[in-house]
Amino acid sequence: MTKNTIAMLMAAALLLTACGKSEQAAPVTTVAGTGGSRQGDFGPPQGEPVNAILTSPPNVPPATNRKAPAKVIVELEVVEVEKPISEGVTYTFWTFGGTVPGSFIRVRQGDTVEFHLKNHPNSKMPHNIDLHGVTGPGGGAASSFTAPGHASQFTFKALNQGLYVYHCATAPVGMHVANGMYGLILVEPPEGLPPVDQEFYVMQGDFYTVGKYREKGHQAFDMQKAIDENPTYVLFNGAESALTGPQALKTKTNQHVRMFVGNGGPNLVSSFHLIGEIFDKVQYEGGTHFQENVQTTLIPAGGAVTVEFHTEVPGNYVLVDHSIFRAFNKGALAILEVSGDARAEIYSGKQGDEVYYSDKLSDAAPVTTAAQSSASGTLTKEQQIKAGEILFKGTCSACHQETGAGIPNVFPPLAKSDFLLADRKRAIGIALNGLTGPVNVNGVHYNSVMPPMSQLNDDEIANILTFALNSWGNDGGVVSAKEVTQVRATTKRTEGAAH
Amino acid sequence: MNRAHIWLVAFLLAAWGFAASAAPAAGARISGGQFDPVLPPAPNVKTTVVAPYRLDVALVSNADFAVFVRKHPEWRRDRVAGLFADEGYLRHWASDAGPGPAIARQPVTQVSWFAASAYCEARGARLPRWYEWEFAAAASATQPDARDDPVWRQDILDWYSKSARGGLPAVGASPANYFGIRDLHGVVWEWVEDAGAMLVSDDSREQGDPNRNRFCGSGALSLEQKENYAMMMRIAMLSSMKASYSSNSMGFRCASDAGTGP
């Protein structure tokens, strides 16, 4: 029987007793737990000192796999670097280890950590470090205050297990944090964390630049925006591209994934969410107890969370701050790419899409009529044109315009379009599969993106094209559903494309 | 002016020694006055009085400092006592004797507080005191105290948004401020005479700590003017430096009491 179970039974017994004798003062009981710092000292370090493995985000050092307290040497270098914060936008970050967030540190509860903070000679600023996992005044800040070109040393015993933020605490503290000076230190429980297939390190932060969001060039820190808590960027791992495109986090299906997620702030509290996944386990504040089946979890500035989930369905999953304007207007987006075989029994992908009219039911009559005539083999060109007109308005006119004239230099015209009229089969293909890249229409160069319209059925595409071929002065012709069927069968389409 | 006068002037210049040739003019006279500094002079006291003083218009250059080192070889990097300068002392110079032509006109950096003090002393001057420095540095081109001007403040902060890896500009290259002083912002940090007395806590967040009077009540005070981040960073930098430390972004200029002068 474990210590915890005994404690729970004792508590239960006391409760029962208390019911009977309510007038007596309830005895002091302790809630079962790991014992905190009082249970975290496992004696002096044993064996040879160990050099801590530090990793850059999104990587996490391997488990310590130690069974006894060790002396662990951590060497962390502070370096001020100019790096992209967004495409074509640079910013001078102040970093622990050259990255935002800083290097990940992993030790075991009870370890004695000899910490060396080195401040690069090219730094303009003095810096220090406050580790939330340290028991002692300032979390190490005063003991690690270091001028450029110098190195400081201090030692602490990691008494509490958990996932902790560290950050610079030199005046002005807010500015040092806003420039990227934060990271995570994991203090493993003595028995280690349960093994998982993959671990990632992600940290959110808010950034304040003089220029607007995505304004090109080198951007300076904007103190007033920081004081107003009005960030220009809200980012995972310090750059808009840090975890997107080729840098996306990558895993496979059927993996047990653990993410150590911190929030450096300096100001914002994160509504952390992974679109398309449910966190099987969340340890708030990197604490010991966990909650299950969590959709969105709060991460305070200067706080951290450990989330775990299992991947079932392949595809791209998006990490966001679900305070959602930050995601789509300030950069708080990251991608987790899950590769593997589809699991249609769990998630089917798109199974159908049909035109839906609500209050305009009568307007849809020609579409219904055309569909019925097509099924019975009595479809006329006029029916097709009438149905196509309605479908065109619903699907195509946003870009090509109801006049068929398009938008100059952006969306090509369909009216008297040499490109459209030259090749009917090509036109069917474009309606089905979309078109990306340069085309020449009536002597004008266009280079836009048309999304695939494969959600429309063969009848509908035939009707739209027939309408287009007989409108705005175009010289006629009919596209049949059969032709569309043939093209659909012979070309490859993007799965689930929509617009 | 007659011949005797000319000879007298020549004699005085010679007696003045290297200083006349190495250092720029004796500096601009600043009349001082009442001033609310970032670091208050005492608990519950916000205002100090800055006495009239003279302050170098420009920073001390590598060439200036090389002249000093020639006269005072005990301050050569190969001879300096380890107590007075750390290993970084003048490390960026081309040789033990001089900086080399490429950086001659740049402000001297990588000098300890001891070396900077010795330089000024040899010139019959001293390092500026923090309040003197802050008083002069509060000025914009048009106002003696521009500290409440957000545009001016942001201009200063922009310097911190550039990394320290680029080369330094020549001394005196930045525009003169209200007092005629150049280079106070956007070039380098500067040593001050009382740098060692800026007893702000090593953990800047201990503002209002009950132990704040442990430094005889004169230091470890809460910083006033919390929006004046540029000055707070100066103070943080100075308080991180011991007198023997050097840094490639720490330079200096000299000052003197204005006394009875014009």
Side-chain angles (χ1 to χ4, degrees), chain A residues 107-397:
Chain A
V107 300
R108 178 181 176 269
Q109 187 180 17
D111 280 350
T112 295
V113 182
E114 183 185 296
F115 206 100
H116 298 258
L117 189 73
K118 305 165 172 183
N119 193 356
H120 195 279
N122 278 343
S123 293
K124 258 185 191 163
M125 300 290 162
H127 297 286
N128 65 6
I129 192 166
D130 165 359
L131 299 117
H132 290 181
V134 166
T135 303
S143 316
S144 61
F145 191 43
T146 310
H150 285 259
S152 297
Q153 180 187 330
F154 69 103
T155 300
F156 67 94
K157 188 169 273 189
L159 293 179
N160 291 77
Q161 56 177 274
L163 181 66
Y164 298 98
V165 167
Y166 66 78
H167 63 92
C168 183
T170 300
V173 181
M175 182 175 177
H176 283 254
V177 173
N179 282 344
M181 297 201 78
Y182 43 75
L184 291 179
I185 176 169
L186 172 66
V187 182
E188 293 177 348
E191 69 278 13
L193 292 174
V196 293
D197 298 312
Q198 224 169 340
E199 291 180 330
F200 292 112
Y201 170 25
V202 176
M203 211 158 169
Q204 181 173 325
D206 27 307
F207 295 86
Y208 304 82
T209 64
V210 171
K212 286 185 300 213
Y213 174 64
R214 288 190 174 169
E215 191 170 315
K216 303 285 185 225
H218 186 73
Q219 290 296 333
F221 170 69
D222 189 316
M223 180 61 69
Q224 196 55 50
K225 280 187 189 169
I227 294 169
D228 295 343
E229 305 194 9
N230 175 27
T232 326
Y233 294 89
V234 181
L235 302 171
F236 293 117
N237 289 5
E240 274 209 282
S241 59
L243 298 172
T244 59
Q247 277 85 43
L249 301 172
K250 290 177 185 67
T251 186
K252 295 177 295 214
T253 50
N254 204 27
Q255 297 286 294
H256 185 170
V257 178
R258 177 184 287 139
M259 277 189 192
F260 300 106
V261 189
N263 184 5
N267 288 321
L268 297 190
V269 166
S270 173
S271 310
F272 185 69
H273 178 80
L274 177 50
I275 299 173
E277 262 295 348
I278 295 134
F279 300 134
D280 298 333
K281 264 172 87 172
V282 169
Q283 284 171 263
Y284 299 112
E285 274 306 289
T288 315
H289 302 288
F290 59 85
Q291 181 57 278
E292 294 182 279
N293 309 316
V294 174
Q295 54 187 315
T296 301
T297 188
L298 204 64
I299 314 177
V305 69
T306 308
V307 301
E308 289 179 31
F309 53 91
H310 190 260
T311 56
E312 274 87 15
V313 179
N316 282 357
Y317 293 77
V318 188
L319 287 73
V320 294
D321 182 338
H322 214 296
S323 302
I324 207 74
F325 270 98
R326 300 173 189 170
F328 297 104
N329 299 74
K330 298 190 172 189
L333 279 173
I335 304 287
L336 173 70
E337 257 178 52
V338 181
S339 59
D341 295 328
R343 297 278 302 276
E345 79 280 16
I346 295 174
Y347 185 77
S348 69
K350 191 162 212 170
Q351 289 179 305
D353 186 325
E354 53 195 30
V355 178
Y356 169 71
Y357 299 94
S358 54
D359 53 339
K360 294 188 191 167
L361 211 57
S362 58
D363 295 348
V367 179
T368 316
T369 311
Q372 286 162 354
S373 302
S374 176
S376 61
T378 60
L379 184 66
T380 66
K381 183 176 168 183
E382 280 61 40
Q383 284 175 331
Q384 278 196 282
I385 292 171
K386 277 189 177 157
E389 181 176 10
I390 288 160
L391 293 163
F392 181 88
K393 279 183 189 164
T395 308
C396 321
S397 66

Side-chain angles (χ1 to χ4, degrees), chain A residues 92 122 124 130 218 221 223, chain B residues 159 161 189 205 229 248:
Chain A
T92 300
N122 278 343
K124 258 185 191 163
D130 165 359
H218 186 73
F221 170 69
M223 180 61 69
Chain B
W159 178 53
S161 300
W189 309 108
R205 300 165 299 172
Y229 272 47
N248 64 6

Side-chain angles (χ1 to χ4, degrees), chain A residues 79-80 92 94 121-122 124-126 130 138 141-142 145 147-148 150 167 169 171-173 175 210 218 220-221 223, chain B residues 86 154 157-165 189 202-205 229 232-233 236-237 239-241 245-249:
Chain A
V79 50
E80 300 169 3
T92 300
W94 301 347
N122 278 343
K124 258 185 191 163
M125 300 290 162
D130 165 359
F145 191 43
H150 285 259
H167 63 92
V173 181
M175 182 175 177
V210 171
H218 186 73
F221 170 69
M223 180 61 69
Chain B
D86 67 9
Q154 186 62 47
L157 283 171
D158 285 354
W159 178 53
Y160 305 101
S161 300
K162 293 171 195 135
S163 85
R165 280 157 212 270
W189 309 108
D202 279 353
D203 188 342
S204 60
R205 300 165 299 172
Y229 272 47
M232 286 166 69
M233 280 187 281
M237 181 65 185
S239 62
S240 80
M241 300 284 286
Y245 283 15
S246 57
S247 159
N248 64 6
S249 51

Side-chain angles (χ1 to χ4, degrees), chain A residues 50 53 61-70 106-108 111 188-195:
Chain A
V50 181
I53 300 168
T64 64
N65 288 321
R66 283 195 292 274
K67 299 288 170 244
R106 188 168 193 157
V107 300
R108 178 181 176 269
D111 280 350
E188 293 177 348
E191 69 278 13
L193 292 174

Side-chain angles (χ1 to χ4, degrees), chain B:
Chain B
M1 190 185 265
N2 65 33
R3 186 171 291 261
H5 271 118
I6 292 169
W7 278 111
L8 181 62
V9 169
F11 173 76
L12 282 173
L13 278 173
W16 192 250
F18 80 93
S21 58
R29 186 182 193 277
I30 297 172
S31 48
Q34 288 217 335
F35 186 62
D36 289 358
V38 170
L39 201 61
N44 306 319
V45 179
K46 286 196 169 174
T47 304
T48 188
V49 176
V50 178
Y53 63 108
R54 289 185 170 280
L55 188 63
D56 282 1
V57 167
L59 289 157
V60 173
S61 71
N62 282 305
D64 297 336
F65 203 78
V67 173
F68 163 71
V69 166
R70 262 204 300 285
K71 290 254 177 187
H72 302 272
E74 71 272 22
W75 288 104
R76 282 165 58 113
R77 69 178 181 195
D78 54 336
R79 298 186 198 169
V80 71
L83 202 59
F84 294 137
D86 67 9
E87 287 150 35
Y89 179 68
L90 296 179
R91 195 175 53 184
H92 62 313
W93 276 20
S95 72
D96 293 340
I103 58 169
R105 292 311 303 155
Q106 289 180 8
V108 66
T109 58
Q110 305 278 29
V111 283
S112 65
W113 178 89
F114 290 115
S117 300
Y119 174 96
C120 292
E121 199 182 322
R123 244 182 59 186
R126 56 171 171 79
L127 286 170
R129 291 164 194 133
W130 168 253
Y131 288 153
E132 293 171 341
W133 193 93
E134 193 186 343
F135 188 93
S140 66
T142 53
Q143 293 173 275
D145 188 348
R147 291 179 294 172
D148 288 335
D149 178 352
V151 176
W152 177 82
R153 273 210 301 254
Q154 186 62 47
D155 276 356
I156 294 173
L157 283 171
D158 285 354
W159 178 53
Y160 305 101
S161 300
K162 293 171 195 135
S163 85
R165 280 157 212 270
L168 293 169
V171 296
S174 56
N177 75 3
Y178 179 85
F179 301 114
I181 312 290
R182 298 168 187 271
D183 304 341
L184 286 164
H185 296 290
V187 185
V188 289
W189 309 108
E190 295 184 37
W191 281 117
V192 292
E193 187 182 49
D194 46 356
M198 301 181 94
L199 292 174
V200 288
S201 162
D202 279 353
D203 188 342
S204 60
R205 300 165 299 172
E206 287 177 9
Q207 299 173 17
D209 189 298
N211 289 332
R212 68 179 182 178
N213 287 335
R214 64 193 148 169
F215 305 121
C216 313
S218 64
L221 298 165
S222 297
L223 296 168
E224 291 291 330
Q225 303 173 21
K226 295 193 193 311
E227 71 288 355
N228 198 337
Y229 272 47
M231 287 303 160
M232 286 166 69
M233 280 187 281
R234 291 259 164 193
I235 293 167
M237 181 65 185
L238 284 166
S239 62
S240 80
M241 300 284 286
K242 291 182 180 155
S244 62
Y245 283 15
S246 57
S247 159
N248 64 6
S249 51
M250 179 70 86
F252 72 100
R253 71 181 75 219
C254 302
S256 56
D257 298 341
T260 53

Side-chain angles (χ1 to χ4, degrees), chain A residues 4-5 61 63 70-71 76-77 171 208 222 291 297 317 359 372 384 435 438 467 472 488:
Chain A
N4 291 0
T5 326
K71 179 173 181 178
L76 191 55
E77 186 189 42
Y208 304 82
D222 189 316
Q291 181 57 278
T297 188
Y317 293 77
D359 53 339
Q372 286 162 354
Q384 278 196 282
L435 178 66
F467 165 73
W472 322 300
R488 196 191 284 272

